[in-house]
Structures are given as structure tokens and as C-alpha cells.
Amino acid sequence: MKVGVVGCGFVGATAAYAMVMDGVGRQIVLVDLDRQRAEAEANDIMHAVPFSHPMSVVSGEYSDLAGCRVVVIAAGVSQKPGETRLQLLERNTAVFEKVVPQIAQHAPQAILLVATNPVDVMTHVTVKLAGRCGIDKSRVLGSGTTLDTARFRTLLGRQCGIDAKHVHAYVIGEHGDSEVLTWSCATVGGMRLNEFQKYRDIHIGVAEKTEIDQKVRGAAYEIISGKGATYYGIGAALSRIVDVLIHDQRAILTISARLHDVLGLSDVTISLPTLVGGQGVISAVPISLNNEETAAFHASAAIVREATESLNL
């Protein structure tokens, strides 16, 4: 199976590398405005193939995306000093206005997976642009809070002294400062978190929850402060999402997708637990939230909606 990656910066290249390590697909095509960079990344990643899974990694043009089942979009520009968020959005929208139609032209059957930040807004932009090219919104999704959810589960699992794979807890809303950690519906080994605490004689109080919340919400800032960018975690997250898409695994992931009448919201692109399969977005899963979480989720959605409306798409 063929997968495309458009944008070969840290995130795009690391996503391709993660797919090689995970054995996701049979061929990966890297496309970038900087053709030399794309070729160099493809060659470097290809040298890891003998130590992982048999597959082909090549660089190419948009025409080489023909036949891709999924195209990861990691293209975009970085924020300049003194630049407002709206100015950054406008510049990234201009990039997408060039990128998305070319992907749609050469890979009209592909599912588009957006990684460029701010991912919720850029996914909404992609839905609009792809729709003009005949691509249904169900075949456009963003990485959303998939990584934030993984961070939440990791920290909660550590607090409980248990493998994070046995923790089910979601981060919803914007992939950003207003995201919402859904403590009220967190489960460990199938037990409600408060029940598991009693069973294992563990205390997770306000102080512990606040610390976990801050670490999840501030993870990217801390990493960027130390090394300039985040890419390993999101690269792995993108690999997981692509695997679900190309193998129709019917997984529930907190990807970013355009909502229609879910938890009182419509026509906004934001993250919720979502059933994802071979055709893309199947349906959002409206989880039960307490009143505080519901209010926070709606406030988060309002921030994303304001940003998308400011673009006048």
C-alpha cells in the first residue's frame, strides 16, 4: 500500500521514519518544495529499511502520489517573531491553497491526514479546499489530540503504576491551550478511575490531577524550549493513524474532524473520540462529560470556530 507525505520537515520526515519502523504500508513517497531535502530524507530513511520492514521510500513530485491510500500533509510555514496567530494562519492557508488541489488532482481517492499546526483550523481549511475538488469531508482528518491523549494516558498510567495501554482516558477539544482532559470518564483496566484508586489504595487528588493536566497541556512548550521542536511523538501518532486507515482497523482515536450535531456542536473541526476506518472518518463518539468538562469543551470549540471564521474561507 502506498502512502504519501507532503512536507519533509521534522514532522513529515519523522512520520515517514515511524511508518518504516512500524511496517506501515509498502511504499512511502516524500514530496517537498525543497526537492533536495525530500530526496535526502528519502535516502536516509531508506537506509533504515534493512533494520526494520521491507518497503520502498522515495522522493517525488505530486504526480508520484497517484495511487496513494493516504497522504499526510505536514507542509506549512513557521511563525515569525512578532507575527500574530491570524497572520500565521493566513500564510499557512495560502500554502494549503497550493498543496491540497495538487494532491486532489493526482491522488483523488486518498484520505488526507493533516499534521500542520494549528491542526484543527488547518484541517477545517483542508475540508473546505478538498471539498471544492470533490473530496468528501469524511476523507479529511487531522492528527488532533491523538498525541495529547497518549500523553494523558502515559502520565495517568504512571500515577496508577500500570501500563498506559490499560488506561482509557481522552483529551478532547482544541489541540492547544484550551484542550480538555476528560477525568470524569477515565477508566483503568475497565474500572472507573475512582474505583481503581480504591481497589489499589491509590490517591489521585486535585494536586495530582493539576500536575498531570499541566504536563499534558504544557508538554510541547517544554520540549520546544529544550530542543526547538516536537516530532517523535507526533511522528509515531501519525504512523498509528495511517495504519488504522490503510488496514480499516476501526479504531477509536481522538483525531480532529468536522462535527455535525455532536454534543451540541456543528460545523466546527475539533477533536473527539472518533471511529476511524478504511474510508476515513466514520462517526464521532459522543462520550459522557460532566458539566465542567462540557463547558470547557464548548469554550475550546468557540476558540477554534473564531479562528476559522477569521479566515473568511
Side-chain angles (χ1 to χ4, degrees):
M1 296 182 183
K2 190 174 178 182
V3 178
V5 178
V6 176
C8 298
F10 284 129
V11 172
T14 305
Y17 176 74
M19 285 187 272
V20 168
M21 291 294 103
D22 294 337
V24 177
R26 286 290 293 166
Q27 182 181 35
I28 299 175
V29 180
L30 304 184
V31 177
D32 196 279
L33 186 62
D34 184 342
R35 298 179 183 180
Q36 186 176 7
R37 173 67 181 267
E39 184 176 359
E41 292 288 5
N43 287 338
D44 195 11
I45 296 169
M46 188 65 189
H47 296 158
V49 167
F51 306 104
S52 53
H53 300 272
M55 59 199 305
S56 170
V57 184
V58 299
S59 63
E61 308 296 331
Y62 283 98
S63 58
D64 295 303
L65 296 174
C68 282
R69 287 285 302 279
V70 179
V71 175
V72 177
I73 306 178
V77 296
S78 300
Q79 193 163 5
K80 297 178 179 179
E83 184 176 39
T84 67
R85 188 183 188 214
L86 177 57
Q87 288 171 328
L88 175 63
L89 282 173
E90 289 173 340
R91 289 203 298 134
N92 269 334
T93 297
V95 171
F96 273 45
E97 286 174 339
K98 297 177 182 177
V99 168
V100 174
Q102 292 191 78
I103 297 172
Q105 177 185 349
H106 296 289
Q109 301 305 315
I111 297 170
L112 308 185
L113 172 55
V114 181
T116 303
N117 277 322
V119 70
D120 305 293
V121 181
M122 297 316 300
T123 302
H124 193 91
V125 168
T126 305
V127 168
K128 291 280 190 180
L129 296 175
R132 296 169 189 169
C133 301
I135 296 177
D136 189 79
K137 66 180 181 180
S138 65
R139 291 199 285 124
V140 179
L141 61 153
S143 54
T145 55
T146 306
L147 177 55
D148 309 271
T149 291
R151 290 167 173 160
F152 185 18
R153 293 180 180 185
T154 297
L155 292 171
L156 185 52
R158 184 182 300 171
Q159 190 73 38
C160 292
I162 193 169
D163 185 346
K165 292 180 180 178
H166 302 291
V167 176
H168 278 80
Y170 301 103
V171 176
I172 62 174
E174 175 199 21
H175 172 59
D177 294 341
S178 70
E179 63 190 24
V180 182
L181 279 65
T182 59
W183 288 99
S184 69
C185 55
T187 62
V188 182
M191 301 174 67
R192 288 283 185 179
L193 179 58
N194 59 346
E195 296 173 354
F196 185 82
Q197 290 182 72
K198 294 177 183 177
Y199 171 66
R200 292 290 297 159
D201 193 23
I202 298 169
H203 177 71
I204 303 177
V206 174
E208 290 78 11
K209 289 182 177 180
T210 299
E211 182 180 6
I212 289 174
D213 185 288
Q214 290 175 344
K215 286 183 176 179
V216 172
R217 203 179 302 275
Y221 295 115
E222 183 178 349
I223 294 169
I224 291 170
S225 175
K227 57 182 274 188
T230 66
Y231 37 91
Y232 292 124
I234 187 59
L238 291 166
S239 176
R240 168 63 176 144
I241 298 169
V242 172
D243 196 24
V244 168
L245 293 169
I246 67 175
H247 291 113
D248 193 22
Q249 292 179 1
R250 300 299 177 103
I252 295 177
L253 305 171
T254 50
I255 52 89
S256 183
R258 191 151 168 200
L259 300 183
H260 177 67
D261 194 23
V262 181
L263 296 178
L265 295 174
S266 288
D267 196 30
V268 62
T269 303
I270 201 167
S271 291
L272 271 176
T274 303
L275 182 60
V276 179
Q279 298 303 311
V281 177
I282 299 173
S283 66
V285 179
I287 55 176
S288 298
L289 305 173
N290 62 28
N291 291 338
E292 183 180 353
E293 291 164 347
T294 299
F297 176 66
H298 280 260
S300 185
I303 291 171
V304 175
R305 187 189 299 278
E306 182 181 4
T308 55
E309 289 179 349
S310 69
L311 294 172
N312 296 315
L313 295 171

